[in-house]
Amino acid sequence: MPDISVERISRIRSFPSLVRFLREELEWPLDGEDVEDLFFDYEPDELGINPEMAVRIRKIKLLRPFVAEQPWGIFYLSFEPKRLPV
């Protein structure tokens, strides 16, 4: 695995920059030119997210599985540019 600095990871600020990072830095096999074809879109209620917190979420995307019956997933969440509740 490549040695990737925290600084490099902190520069990931958008969905396209995440995809570039996964392809170029981690050499993930993300086929296709259209980035939107690589992910499924979700609504907060589909994932059981509290409606009070959901208003702060702009979008939720799940990277399509690499293999059938993959037991884990990678989500991309975009939040409003305000303080994130923990």
Side-chain angles (χ1 to χ4, degrees), residues 4-28 30 35 39 74-79:
I4 300 170
S5 69
V6 172
E7 178 186 329
R8 173 61 184 103
I9 294 170
S10 69
R11 289 194 309 255
I12 300 170
R13 299 277 183 188
S14 67
F15 185 62
S17 68
L18 170 64
V19 172
R20 268 193 311 278
F21 175 79
L22 296 175
R23 280 182 174 158
E24 296 170 8
E25 302 289 333
L26 300 183
E27 299 177 1
W28 285 20
L30 302 176
V35 173
F39 290 80
I74 297 174
F75 287 85
Y76 172 86
L77 283 79
S78 175
F79 296 94

Side-chain angles (χ1 to χ4, degrees), residues 19 23 30-38:
V19 172
R23 280 182 174 158
L30 302 176
D31 296 329
E33 291 299 315
D34 189 1
V35 173
E36 294 298 320
D37 290 342
L38 301 173

